[in-house]
Amino acid sequence: MIQAVKVSLEVLNDRLDPYDHLEEILDKINRWEPKVNAYAYVENMGKLKEDLGRQLKRKGRLSGVIVAVKDNISTSWMPTTAASRMLSGYIPPYNATVIEKLLYEGAVIIGKTNMDEFAMGSTSENTPYGPVHNPWCLDCTAGGSSGGSGAVLAYGGADLALGSDTGGSVRLPAAYTGTVALKPTYGTVSRYGLIPYANSLEQISPMARTVKDLALLYNTIKGDDPRDSTTLGVEQEYPIDRVDPGKTRIAVIRELMDGVDEGILKIFWNTISLLESHGFTIDMVSIKSLRYSLPAYYVIAMAEASSNLARYDGVIHGNRVKECRGYWDCAAKARGEYFGVEVKTRILMGAYVLMEGYSREYYVKATKLRRLIRDSLAKLFKDYQAIISPVSPILPPKLGEKLEDPVKMYTMDVMTVTANLAGIPALVQPAGIISGFPIGIQWMGPVFSESRLFGLASIVEDEVGVITPLQ
Amino acid sequence: MARKVTIGLEIHVQITGAKTKLFCNCPVDYRDKPPNTNVCPVCMGFPGALPVVNRKAIELAVTASKSLNCEIPEWLIFTRKHYFYPDLPKNYQITQYKTVAGAPVCLGGRLDYIDPKDWSIHSVGLDRINIEEDPGKAVYEKGGIIGSRVVLVDYNRSGVGLLEIVTRPELHDARQARIAVENLLLTLWYLGITDPRLPGAFRVDANISVEGGGGRVELKNIGSLIEVERGLRYEILRQTKIVDAGGKIARETRHWDTVKGVSKATRSKEEETDYMYFPDPDLPPLRVTRSMLVKAEAALEFTPLKLWSDMNRYGIDKGLAWSIIRELDLAKTFRTALSIYRNPHLIAWMLGNVVKGLRDKKGLEYVPPAVDIAYLAELLDRNIVHREMVKFVILPKAMETKESVKRIMEYEGKLPRGDALEKAVEKVLIEESKAVNDLLRGRKQAFNYLIGRVMRKLDGKGDPREIAEILRRKLNGLI
């Protein structure tokens, strides 16, 4: 299948019929969706053709490119439900900034992808649309929470996809579906229009099948936004760097290697050998504070979640129940009725860690740990240009398996949450296949090192090859 | 029996001077707009819409803090305060908090205020000032949230910036509390932070306890200066009676019913609400910059207390001074007029006595411009007009018709009309050729002589400054 970076040029030179390209994608959606369930909403054909006609005229770098968008990113003409019954039927009155940027560059938004409700989950099973199935193994999870976006790319149901990453939500799906994803430096992509889960941790994140496509999508959506005070006011491009192995020291972190599945380890060490053969220096180092990443992450994420989700009481935001009396009764019933179990769990835990008397023990302590983790990574990056690690300690679990044990599900995020706590970029790419499962590796670098991560990932990609879309 | 009373106030003041709401671009001017038409995704709390701090509001808050002798932190932190209520779109309010999530715009501080009873100056300590957003306005079918089947909410006000000014419990009677609030509002009005005349621009909550009572009562919903005194008087009396009869005062929140003039318990026991404060992750800490502090410092040149001490220095009667200071337009006119013509007594008399009197008695709101007031002061000094004329003819006419003082003087025959002045000058120049020659040779006294001749021709009605101007023009370039 054609790479997204080539679409607009090929269309311009009449070597690609953009309508054929759209139909090819729709064919794949028709073929795969009944099994995969990765889309929460697909725009109808007539509207898509109309959009395509209009967007081709823009002659932007994404003209003719078909993009899938996670269901928690606001689109003013399509439902945006964050896979919650609370928001079923909600069409926002405005577009997210990233959507405006995609439209400006000529992209066509094909639909909204399935996900864990309010992005809370690592398996894309906490959803009223039914679980996302992994195209590589239909009774397995595609990872979460942006599982829909990963799965769509894996079977060719879009050229590019947007996800959001709060603690690994684009990277776990990328690892499980054989695609690439970048959790950008915090503050380089506007969150305006992203239905919030944990504001201080999350970024809207690009997903693709190749590193070049990933860089294209990232460079399209990044940039300062006056409507988001947490964007950093940095205006720069992030091209793919040519990385000099002689000047690049890579760290493997002991704390991120615990309890990793053997197959995953095998691919990981193969990749390390490959990099060494290119002349990279790779050292094993230890950062003790990373042992606290997971608890610190969950305390902060849940605290912010309980606050963000308070607005859904059925007055302005969220659906209402018919039978109720008075404000508090109606709010309580609506929240009881329309939030899923995982969301309620996190709201309750978040409220708990913020309660007077507990806040110091949990929330405040977690923010201190966060600072400690950030500082120790900053120190590491004085000596090392990048970190390499596995993405998940385990292969994609069977659907239903992980839901039984929430703590097990949370440990799936152990290798990914550190980047969110520290605000640093993290890129995941496929590094091989073991017994039919694609295996991902993760790159992390200091803030604003996206170009370097693209460069490092390109080296691996050139050796391993691109493994999706599946036929 | 008279018991010692302790009062602390919590005053919410809208930052109307910021022009737009605290975190979005909707105007602060929501009054008279149809319900829910002055809103946007941000102040309606739509999922994914993000707050962006209004710089002007922060500057004004810093100015307020400076004027109240506060300690201003280098970094301001915004905090989320959670409670479920239909008028709060996000079910949390963005505010500031002292502990955990630290750093409100003002810590400590002191409000100095003038007591117009004996012109003494008092102080009340401040605990802190928070910057926060106003909620929407809920209208209940049955007057309260409990028992009402329908609640109507208007979010036009939602997101307007507020200063929450919290005093220490250092006030001891109702009148004093009212005066302190009045002085505070006056200062904030001078500094362009708020317009206290707008309905709903400020609200006061008061904590009141009487000696021997035990608990303190929070009295809510006081919307005007008169109500501050009335509500507090009522509450002090209510508590005193209970304590005198051997009873105890339960810690509770009571609602001030303006219409009935009584306070009513809202909840039997004050609930210890847990607001689950934590710093708003959508708003990075905001640095109080050097330029903000410089701007604030400059604004402090004009405050009621500063004007009060200036007027005292000029020896202006204190009652007269206060009547000017209490009204911002009079105070501003005083300041400007004085910079044009330095006779503080005459200017103060015209504004504080004449203009203020006409405003109070006849409801005339218009204040003649400062140049006109300065001009009249000069004419008074030169005995071209006398006080009775100014008080009973010129200023009333000016305020009624909004005509310039000069036109009114001409009309009243106190100044030559139209080109009479020009003609008189021309005549004198012809008649007094010797003086003109002297002037041209450099004898400066001749100039004043010529002015005198023109005045005489006009029966003393001309304005010497204007005559001088015409003379210079006529002798174009020669002198």
Side-chain angles (χ1 to χ4, degrees), chain A residues 94 193 307 310-311 313 317 356, chain B residues 44-45 47-48 80 82 91 274 282:
Chain A
Y94 57 94
S307 170
R311 76 194 67 198
D313 60 6
H317 310 296
E356 218 178 313
Chain B
M44 288 287 277
R80 291 184 181 182
H82 302 84
N91 283 330
D274 192 331
D282 290 330

Side-chain angles (χ1 to χ4, degrees), chain B residues 38-248:
Chain B
N38 188 46
V39 291
C40 72
V42 175
C43 57
M44 288 287 277
F46 269 73
L50 297 169
V52 176
V53 172
N54 176 343
R55 291 256 153 193
K56 177 77 184 163
I58 302 303
E59 281 174 19
L60 291 173
V62 167
T63 304
S65 303
K66 264 248 123 133
S67 77
L68 295 166
N69 315 291
C70 295
E71 190 187 308
I72 302 169
E74 191 187 350
W75 293 93
L76 302 182
I77 294 172
F78 289 97
T79 304
R80 291 184 181 182
K81 175 182 180 178
H82 302 84
Y83 59 94
F84 278 77
Y85 221 71
D87 62 10
L88 202 59
K90 304 182 289 290
N91 283 330
Y92 62 79
Q93 179 191 33
I94 304 176
T95 177
Q96 299 186 304
Y97 191 57
K98 216 161 37 167
T99 58
V100 188
V105 68
C106 153
L107 279 175
R110 192 185 75 241
L111 165 67
D112 298 328
Y113 61 95
I114 302 161
D115 185 343
K117 191 175 71 182
D118 56 7
W119 312 119
S120 54
I121 292 182
H122 303 266
S123 291
V124 57
L126 298 182
D127 184 50
R128 65 187 149 84
I129 301 176
N130 300 331
I131 307 169
E132 60 186 33
E133 43 178 4
D134 214 348
K137 205 171 184 175
V139 183
Y140 302 102
E141 186 192 18
K142 297 251 160 70
I145 193 166
I146 294 160
S148 290
R149 207 171 35 83
V150 180
V151 183
L152 297 172
V153 192
D154 176 7
Y155 296 97
N156 281 351
R157 192 180 73 179
S158 168
V160 171
L162 290 178
L163 293 179
E164 184 190 62
I165 300 159
V166 183
T167 76
R168 296 213 181 96
E170 293 177 356
L171 293 159
H172 301 290
D173 70 68
R175 199 191 67 90
Q176 206 187 5
R178 194 251 301 152
I179 291 163
V181 175
E182 186 177 357
N183 272 265
L184 171 70
L185 291 171
L186 205 54
T187 303
L188 300 180
W189 195 17
Y190 272 52
L191 296 171
I193 292 160
T194 196
D195 183 347
R197 295 167 305 177
L198 294 172
F202 70 94
R203 305 188 285 281
V204 180
D205 299 335
N207 283 305
I208 309 134
S209 59
V210 299
E211 197 177 12
R216 67 169 167 78
V217 170
E218 186 175 7
L219 189 64
K220 283 191 175 277
N221 185 43
I222 305 171
S224 73
L225 286 172
I226 295 167
E227 297 300 324
V228 170
E229 193 166 341
R230 254 183 97 211
L232 284 171
R233 263 191 215 295
Y234 174 88
E235 187 54 31
I236 291 164
L237 193 69
R238 189 189 70 85
Q239 291 188 27
T240 306
K241 274 186 178 165
I242 293 172
V243 179
D244 283 351
K248 284 279 168 199

Side-chain angles (χ1 to χ4, degrees), chain A residues 74 87 90 92-94 186 190-196 198-200 226-230 303-304 306-313 315-317 325-328 331 335 350-352 354-357 359-360 363-364, chain B residues 40-53 80 82-92 97 99-101 140 145-149 151 153 155 272-284:
Chain A
S74 300
L87 286 172
Y90 170 59
Y94 57 94
Y186 187 84
S190 169
R191 290 184 296 109
Y192 191 85
L194 171 66
I195 294 182
N199 328 45
S200 76
R227 290 186 294 185
D228 177 356
S229 316
T230 62
E304 293 183 13
S306 75
S307 170
N308 290 324
L309 271 60
R311 76 194 67 198
Y312 306 105
D313 60 6
V315 175
I316 312 177
H317 310 296
R325 280 189 73 80
Y327 170 68
W328 284 291
R335 291 166 73 78
Y352 181 82
L354 286 176
M355 269 163 64
E356 218 178 313
S359 169
R360 251 170 233 291
Y363 178 75
V364 175
Chain B
C40 72
V42 175
C43 57
M44 288 287 277
F46 269 73
L50 297 169
V52 176
V53 172
R80 291 184 181 182
H82 302 84
Y83 59 94
F84 278 77
Y85 221 71
D87 62 10
L88 202 59
K90 304 182 289 290
N91 283 330
Y92 62 79
Y97 191 57
T99 58
V100 188
Y140 302 102
I145 193 166
I146 294 160
S148 290
R149 207 171 35 83
V151 183
V153 192
Y155 296 97
E272 280 302 332
T273 321
D274 192 331
Y275 292 117
M276 304 196 301
Y277 291 102
F278 81 106
D280 192 327
D282 290 330
L283 292 163

Side-chain angles (χ1 to χ4, degrees), chain A residues 359-372:
Chain A
S359 169
R360 251 170 233 291
E361 282 304 304
Y362 294 98
Y363 178 75
V364 175
K365 206 166 261 180
T367 59
K368 283 181 183 156
L369 282 170
R370 181 182 194 170
R371 200 169 310 135
L372 192 71

